Amino acid sequence: MVSHDETRSEDAPAQPPARPTLKTIARLAGLGVTTVSRALHDAPDIGEETKARVRKLADSLGYQPNRAGVRLRTGRSHVIALVLATEAEELGINSQLIYGISEALSSSTYQLVVMMHDPASNPLEPVRNIVEAGAADGILFARIEPDDARVRFLTERGVPFATHGRTSMGIVHPYFDFDNEAYAESAVKRLASLGRRRVALVGPPPHLAYARHMASGFCRGVTALGLETVAVVGIDTDSPHECIQAEVFRLMQRADRPDGFVSGGAVAALSVTAGAESAGLVLGRDFDVVIKESSDLFRKFRPAIETAHEDFRAAGRWLARAIVGRIEGTADADTHFLDEPRIAVSETMEARVAANGIR
């Protein structure tokens, strides 16, 4: 006969294994809890051999710090929020940025949380929600506007932040930016060196800060070289593929059609090229395109397209280090980095034409 207690024991669900704690690691390592904690936080007074042994043991046990406990002791969540718009992913740009940030944070005590928002909504709202909920110690965000409400809000609240892009507000803050002004000017010069005289810019959405930088560089290059500008109508790099292709097709029907394009994005450049080719024109012979891209796909598959590389992974690593520095008080507010563009030009017109299979 089975007793009531025995039956209840057999029917009861198995208890999950206890979550490993600092005490668990300390017991198995033969060290004090304080020593283990300092080893996991890379304290300079703990030997490297001890740190390596403690980390290896923590990894094998699947140890994760108790965030609630950390927050009670330090007043910090040890969370960094990255706020991104849910626009179409352009050749993995968002994932490269995330990878770079995660890579830099991997050896720290901070965790990355990615928060997406509708680009058609107010970009300040997700930032305000994070601050009011105390959900993160620092915030990273992109698609910066010349007068950006997020920058003003976080500055007034005293919340650490860093941006991918820069404003023209006069507010000092950490940022990483690509020199889009220099890119556009050098792109125009490259087109001129290929004999192009009528050039067009397919730039970013005009409300973004880097759209103004790119337009300024484009105009400076055109003026300096005495080229002719052909205006595109109603499209930017965020426009649907069909709209960009249709506008370029329309332009290429004109007698004074453009023979060179500067594109603010790689995906938009595909649409530009498709629009021109649908009009019966040949890339590298009848027209040229200069783009900035974050991968080397164009150099591999469309070598007649001139490219400038924008390294989003490097941007992510820099932003991660900057925000941790701001949170911990080791980085100045005016720390910034302006990435210099470098156009990977083809050797000669003949080489470009041959590489593209043109006769």
Side-chain angles (χ1 to χ4, degrees):
M1 182 174 179
V2 179
S3 69
H4 175 70
D5 287 342
E6 288 174 333
T7 303
R8 182 173 58 190
S9 175
E10 291 173 358
D11 293 341
Q15 293 299 314
R19 176 177 176 174
T21 65
L22 290 176
K23 288 183 179 179
T24 310
I25 300 171
R27 176 173 54 80
L28 294 173
L31 299 169
V33 172
T34 301
T35 301
V36 168
S37 176
R38 293 182 61 77
L40 290 173
H41 287 81
D42 201 25
D45 58 334
I46 304 296
E48 292 301 321
E49 183 179 344
T50 300
K51 290 178 186 177
R53 183 160 61 95
V54 168
R55 287 170 183 158
K56 183 176 181 180
L57 186 56
D59 289 343
S60 68
L61 293 171
Y63 169 76
Q64 293 290 332
N66 186 319
R67 296 284 164 187
V70 170
R71 186 162 193 162
L72 286 172
R73 291 193 305 273
T74 67
R76 294 179 183 166
S77 64
H78 279 249
V79 169
I80 291 170
L82 171 63
V83 182
L84 294 173
T86 55
E87 72 270 16
E89 173 80 343
E90 183 174 309
L91 298 182
I93 285 177
N94 283 350
S95 47
Q96 289 183 52
L97 190 66
I98 293 168
Y99 188 96
I101 295 170
S102 301
E103 189 177 35
L105 293 180
S106 62
S107 59
S108 76
T109 60
Y110 292 89
Q111 289 188 336
L112 177 68
V113 172
V114 181
M115 307 189 73
M116 310 300 292
H117 72 93
D118 182 350
S121 64
N122 183 355
L124 176 60
E125 287 309 308
V127 171
R128 188 195 304 275
N129 292 339
I130 293 168
V131 173
E132 291 180 349
D137 295 330
I139 302 176
L140 303 172
F141 53 97
R143 291 179 70 88
I144 305 304
E145 299 180 10
D147 186 357
D148 201 297
R150 297 167 295 181
V151 169
R152 181 173 289 104
F153 173 78
L154 292 171
T155 301
E156 291 173 351
R157 293 295 187 95
V159 177
F161 70 97
T163 64
H164 187 252
R166 56 202 152 113
T167 72
S168 55
M169 303 165 66
I171 294 178
V172 175
H173 65 86
Y175 68 80
F176 183 105
D177 202 7
F178 182 80
D179 194 340
N180 287 281
E181 188 168 351
Y183 156 69
E185 184 176 11
S186 61
V188 170
K189 289 179 179 178
R190 176 56 181 164
L191 290 172
S193 74
L194 296 170
R196 303 311 180 187
R197 306 303 301 169
R198 294 183 300 276
V199 294
L201 171 66
V202 179
H207 70 282
L208 298 177
Y210 81 104
R212 299 187 183 187
H213 301 155
M214 195 175 294
S216 175
F218 179 82
C219 290
R220 187 166 62 239
V222 167
T223 301
L225 296 168
L227 305 183
E228 180 182 345
T229 299
V230 180
V232 299
V233 179
I235 61 169
D236 54 52
T237 55
D238 279 7
S239 298
H241 167 79
E242 297 79 8
C243 295
I244 298 175
Q245 183 172 344
E247 170 61 8
V248 172
F249 179 82
R250 181 190 70 81
L251 289 176
M252 294 317 226
Q253 305 299 306
R254 294 168 39 170
D256 60 344
R257 62 175 177 79
D259 55 12
F261 290 88
V262 177
S263 177
V267 171
L270 289 174
S271 305
V272 168
T273 304
E277 290 179 338
S278 66
L281 302 173
V282 178
L283 176 65
R285 186 190 70 192
D286 302 313
F287 71 99
D288 282 294
V289 181
V290 181
I291 70 169
K292 61 170 187 164
E293 63 165 345
S294 58
S295 67
D296 60 353
L297 292 177
F298 281 85
R299 297 294 293 173
K300 289 180 178 178
F301 300 109
R302 297 302 295 265
I305 291 182
E306 308 286 338
T307 62
H309 184 65
E310 183 173 7
D311 194 336
F312 281 87
R313 185 173 297 184
R317 290 193 296 266
W318 190 96
L319 288 168
R321 291 191 292 267
I323 192 63
V324 170
R326 291 300 295 151
I327 293 168
E328 299 186 347
T330 60
D332 295 332
D334 64 351
T335 183
H336 61 271
F337 186 87
L338 189 61
D339 192 15
E340 179 184 351
R342 292 169 294 280
I343 294 181
V345 300
S346 303
E347 294 283 334
T348 63
M349 172 67 83
E350 291 74 18
R352 291 166 57 256
V353 170
N356 208 40
I358 302 169
R359 298 288 183 269

